[in-house]
Amino acid sequence: MNSTTRAAQRLKLFSSALFNHKKTTLFRPTFTRSFANMAATTDVQNYKFNHSMIRVKDPKESVKFYEFLGMSLLKKLSFPEAKFDLYFLGYDAPGAVSAGANLWDREGLIELTHNYGTESDPNYKINNGNVEPHRGFGHTCISVDNLQAACQRLEDAGYKFQKKLSDGRMKHIAFALDPDGYWVEIIGRKPVEETEGVKETDLKTYRMNHTMLRVKDGEKSLKFYQEVMGMKLVRTHEAKEAGFNLYFLGYGDEKQNTADREGLLELTWNYGTEKDENFSYHNGNDQPQGFGHICVSVDNIEAACDRLEGLNVNWKKRLTDGRMKNVAFVLDPDNYWIELVQNERFTGQANF
């Protein structure tokens, strides 16, 4: 039995524990929560785009890569009974936007999920979301101080690129490849003309800027993320000649320069897909797997779920489902999973 099969079996078992408490007693993460000091309502102004989850083959290589990009390993959660570990990485230097905050009071984190045994299976491969017919998730994006120097540093370290700065017509972006072949876009916060010839780059200034998802119907997805999830549209890029639009959404100040932000969501809509009844994107959780979900932390998990229930959302998992009473999963219009988790700042108690 290869690790792909084992991982699928573990996912089935984990899903049983997560969604149906009658089927298995595989594991029971400890969770404590007190609502004594919490408001009875929820305010989307307190929401944060906390993290994006991707599955990885070898956590040592993946953590090494993201630490090379300047991230810090903020927390590791281990579930040996279910045979997987979770690694949460983010920027934590003194000047970082979320520096020093608790894990769930941050934006722009990456969660790496490792299923035991995949690292030693030569046949195990991640779906990076960019290969037909399994496209969906596109990339994460890092914004840096000096674009050319940042890219050169990665190249000198031996990391591969999907697109170098010198490739194609778009000389202001590059795409590095992480150990699993996920695309990591690299953009500069200054015009490329200003950073030409600069040889130094400061990792302490880097930010995990956004996560990109392809969507079938741009109008429908915008409505969902704004009216249901409470995000604000901060920038739109129309590429009419190329036949696509890009929408950048997030929480907080929508007037802030998007390249200076962390925790944005980029939706890519290719014209015409909304008219094709048979068209759909791969959500990353069907086989072959790769991307898992995005996560929004909220001020009051129960009130937030009640609000969403009133908006008639589609659920993957309600709070009351399964043994894990501390997380819920909503489905967006393309069936991407959105995790909801309590922001500990509003309870003063740990989630896990």
Side-chain angles (χ1 to χ4, degrees):
M1 183 186 299
N2 61 34
S3 61
T4 303
T5 303
R6 291 195 299 270
Q9 290 180 342
R10 287 196 293 270
L11 176 67
K12 185 176 181 180
L13 290 170
F14 173 62
S15 296
S16 295
L18 189 63
F19 303 132
N20 188 346
H21 68 280
K22 295 180 180 179
K23 291 184 178 180
T24 182
T25 56
L26 181 59
F27 80 99
R28 192 171 190 170
T30 301
F31 173 71
T32 56
R33 180 173 69 222
S34 171
F35 290 95
N37 298 318
M38 292 177 61
T41 59
T42 186
D43 185 350
V44 296
Q45 299 296 323
N46 295 323
Y47 290 13
K48 292 179 180 290
F49 179 8
N50 182 250
H51 70 257
S52 300
M53 187 277 266
I54 55 176
R55 298 172 176 90
V56 301
K57 176 185 175 80
D58 187 337
K60 291 183 180 179
E61 291 300 317
S62 295
V63 169
K64 178 182 176 182
F65 172 82
Y66 287 102
E67 287 183 336
F68 190 79
L69 284 177
M71 294 186 178
S72 299
L73 179 60
L74 302 173
K75 193 176 188 65
K76 177 183 177 182
L77 295 175
S78 295
F79 302 100
E81 298 88 348
K83 301 187 186 313
F84 72 91
D85 293 334
L86 309 178
Y87 301 79
F88 294 87
L89 296 104
Y91 289 102
D92 201 38
V97 180
S98 295
N102 79 67
L103 188 70
W104 310 109
D105 196 30
R106 294 171 176 261
E107 294 194 296
L109 301 182
I110 290 182
E111 175 190 353
L112 308 179
T113 295
H114 170 237
N115 292 292
Y116 299 173
T118 55
E119 70 280 7
S120 58
D121 184 351
N123 298 316
Y124 182 81
K125 185 178 180 180
I126 290 293
N127 166 32
N128 72 3
N130 291 299
V131 179
E132 292 289 10
H134 305 299
R135 294 203 310 161
F137 165 75
H139 60 260
T140 54
C141 175
I142 307 298
S143 65
V144 302
D145 53 353
N146 302 315
L147 181 58
Q148 296 90 336
C151 291
Q152 189 62 54
R153 176 177 174 271
L154 277 167
E155 189 172 351
D156 290 346
Y159 288 111
K160 297 179 180 180
F161 281 75
Q162 177 67 27
K163 177 197 176 298
K164 296 182 179 180
L165 286 175
S166 56
D167 296 336
R169 297 181 178 181
M170 302 179 72
K171 307 299 184 183
H172 62 289
I173 60 172
F175 286 89
L177 294 174
D178 88 346
D180 288 289
Y182 290 114
W183 295 12
V184 180
E185 184 180 14
I186 305 171
I187 62 174
R189 293 201 298 277
K190 307 172 188 174
V192 291
E193 296 79 11
E194 290 185 18
T195 56
E196 185 69 41
V198 177
K199 303 299 182 183
E200 302 296 327
T201 184
D202 184 357
L203 301 180
K204 295 190 296 295
T205 67
Y206 288 17
R207 294 178 182 176
M208 217 300 274
N209 182 252
H210 69 256
T211 296
M212 187 276 266
L213 301 175
R214 298 177 178 91
V215 298
K216 176 177 179 175
D217 188 324
E219 184 177 348
K220 184 181 292 185
S221 293
L222 281 175
K223 182 180 178 67
F224 173 84
Y225 281 101
Q226 291 180 97
E227 297 182 9
V228 177
M229 297 308 301
M231 291 185 175
K232 301 172 184 176
L233 180 64
V234 298
R235 185 165 75 89
T236 298
H237 173 72
E238 296 185 353
K240 294 184 178 180
E241 293 184 0
F244 69 89
N245 286 0
L246 306 178
Y247 304 102
F248 293 86
L249 301 103
Y251 298 107
D253 183 7
E254 70 269 30
K255 296 180 181 180
Q256 186 180 1
N257 187 309
T258 53
D260 292 330
R261 298 279 300 266
E262 64 178 6
L264 294 178
L265 178 65
E266 176 189 356
L267 303 180
T268 295
W269 168 52
N270 292 292
Y271 302 168
T273 53
E274 76 284 0
K275 300 176 182 178
D276 185 348
E277 293 182 0
N278 298 317
F279 184 88
S280 64
Y281 282 115
H282 190 281
N283 69 4
N285 291 300
D286 298 325
Q287 295 293 342
Q289 294 182 325
F291 167 78
H293 60 259
I294 61 172
C295 174
V296 174
S297 66
V298 300
D299 50 4
N300 184 319
I301 187 71
E302 291 186 340
C305 288
D306 287 344
R307 173 182 172 273
L308 292 171
E309 191 75 57
L311 293 172
N312 298 315
V313 300
N314 293 320
W315 295 93
K316 181 65 181 178
K317 176 199 177 297
R318 289 179 168 87
L319 272 182
T320 53
D321 296 337
R323 294 185 178 276
M324 296 183 70
K325 307 300 185 184
N326 54 337
V327 295
F329 284 88
V330 173
L331 297 175
D332 88 344
D334 289 279
N335 285 322
Y336 293 117
W337 295 15
I338 304 173
E339 182 181 17
L340 301 172
V341 67
Q342 176 66 48
N343 185 337
E344 296 172 353
R345 176 165 61 88
F346 293 90
T347 63
Q349 297 192 30
N351 288 339
F352 295 92

